[in-house]
Amino acid sequence: MREILGVLDRWYAARLPFGLATVVSVSHSAPRGPGAALAVGPDGEVVGSVSGGCVEGAVFELAQEVVATGVARLETFGYSDDDAFAVGLTCGGEITVLVRSVTPARDPVFGAVAASVAGGEPVTSAIVVDGPAARGSTLAVWPDTIAGSLGTRGLDAAVAADARGELSLGVTGLRHYGPHGERRQDTVTVFLQSFAPPPRMLVFGAIDYAAAVARIGHFLGYRVTVCDARPVFATPSRFPEGVEVVVDWPHRYLRGTRTDERTVICVLTHDPKFDVPVLREALRRPAAYIGAMGSRRTHDDRLRRLVESGLTDPELVRLRSPLGLDLGARTPEEVAVSVAAEIVALRWGGTGAPLSTTSGAIHPRGVV
């Protein structure tokens, strides 16, 4: 949804009705997770995807139908066999898609949600999927306010409480309530789609490898900052557009920067006067990934210095050093792929092994 929201906001501002299909649940090896979206706008223009191509044709027709009728639809697409004309997923998975018509009259809070996402402000869009409440009704939830309604005050309050509790983690998925927000009932199904601000990637050391790591981090959706104390290296012209470049001592910058459980920290300086102070700071704060570049010898020396600085074993075990997966990488771009692969594997619990040598589900289960 985040990828296509700019286009949808333009249609919405121009009061052009469009059909919006959103994946609200998946099972087994589905190609895309909850929150994936496809929209059909004026003149049949299509943006986004819900399945990577398997059921897009059927969803296109549904979207046109709901725009014409104004009645939201909930459809499930499962496995399709060898019949080339069957509508379904060839991967063996199953997706459930909510298709609704979006206009300022039908969804008066869509524009505000889009503006918050564009501005990096955390917001959750809660949409009724099934039950006695009107399907497609929407409630927008911010940390300190709400807008719209799902039908009853009690349901709005319960959903808002749950949305705020999970917004910081960017949780997206289905929740079940009674018609007035009762916790132990499941007559109303609500889809919560959280739009937390993009996670941070902090790259310390403005070397040639940093530009490649910053580029792939930006591609993965991180808000990337490169920091180095040496102004001759820390120049914006050496890094991709959209990457923040800061001239400061790494440990001092990190000390004044907020991190959370989604933050990625890559220390590429491999110079003790820079990397030991910044790693000492990093290993004592929340982060999803903390990696440091260097040879085995550099790692052993760095580890000794970190122990001497007072770090404990539980703190040191968080350090990924040398950073990256063993891909045989040589060039800065290849090393960046290696680092990104380790970050993704750590996020989802992947092994890093070739899929051809593993068995079982390819895609991890759980909320996205």
Side-chain angles (χ1 to χ4, degrees), residues 199-203 213-214 217-218 222-225 263-264 266 343:
R200 298 289 303 274
M201 173 182 278
L202 306 177
V203 180
V213 171
H218 184 71
Y222 288 92
R223 181 162 69 92
V224 183
T225 298
T263 303
V264 165
C266 298
I343 292 170

Side-chain angles (χ1 to χ4, degrees), residues 104-138:
R106 293 193 178 110
D107 188 348
V109 302
F110 185 89
V113 170
S116 291
V117 175
E121 180 183 10
V123 62
T124 293
S125 176
I127 308 168
V128 173
V129 170
D130 206 3
R135 178 176 291 160
S137 298
T138 305

Side-chain angles (χ1 to χ4, degrees), residues 138-154:
T138 305
L139 178 74
V141 182
W142 291 270
D144 56 358
T145 189
I146 65 174
S149 178
L150 303 180
T152 68
R153 184 176 299 178

Side-chain angles (χ1 to χ4, degrees), residues 15-212:
R15 309 185 76 81
L16 298 172
F18 58 90
L20 178 59
T22 305
V23 176
V24 296
S25 70
V26 304
S27 66
H28 305 297
S29 187
R32 304 205 66 186
L38 176 149
V40 179
D43 301 320
E45 181 181 355
V46 178
V47 293
S49 171
V50 293
S51 72
C54 299
V55 300
E56 260 64 4
V59 173
F60 174 84
E61 294 179 359
L62 280 172
Q64 290 188 312
E65 177 187 318
V66 300
V67 168
T69 65
V71 179
R73 294 276 301 273
L74 187 68
E75 296 289 338
T76 297
F77 298 93
Y79 175 70
S80 64
D81 57 20
D82 294 336
D83 181 356
F85 297 99
V87 175
L89 305 178
T90 59
C91 59
E94 183 177 275
I95 62 172
T96 299
V97 180
L98 174 68
V99 189
R100 60 194 180 98
S101 177
V102 178
T103 66
R106 293 193 178 110
D107 188 348
V109 302
F110 185 89
V113 170
S116 291
V117 175
E121 180 183 10
V123 62
T124 293
S125 176
I127 308 168
V128 173
V129 170
D130 206 3
R135 178 176 291 160
S137 298
T138 305
L139 178 74
V141 182
W142 291 270
D144 56 358
T145 189
I146 65 174
S149 178
L150 303 180
T152 68
R153 184 176 299 178
L155 182 58
D156 290 347
V159 170
D162 287 350
R164 286 174 178 143
E166 298 175 337
L167 181 54
S168 63
L169 300 177
V171 173
T172 288
L174 295 175
R175 300 294 181 271
H176 303 279
Y177 307 89
H180 298 282
E182 297 87 346
R183 298 285 182 178
R184 297 188 178 183
Q185 297 185 28
D186 58 2
T187 55
V188 179
T189 302
V190 178
F191 179 64
L192 298 183
Q193 184 164 16
S194 298
F195 296 97
R200 298 289 303 274
M201 173 182 278
L202 306 177
V203 180
F204 295 103
I207 62 175
D208 50 355
Y209 289 92

Side-chain angles (χ1 to χ4, degrees), residues 201 203 209-222 224 240 243 266 327 332-341 343-344:
M201 173 182 278
V203 180
Y209 289 92
V213 171
R215 185 176 297 110
I216 202 166
H218 184 71
F219 174 75
L220 290 175
Y222 288 92
V224 183
V243 171
C266 298
L327 305 182
E333 290 74 21
E334 290 173 345
V335 170
V337 171
S338 168
V339 174
I343 292 170
V344 173

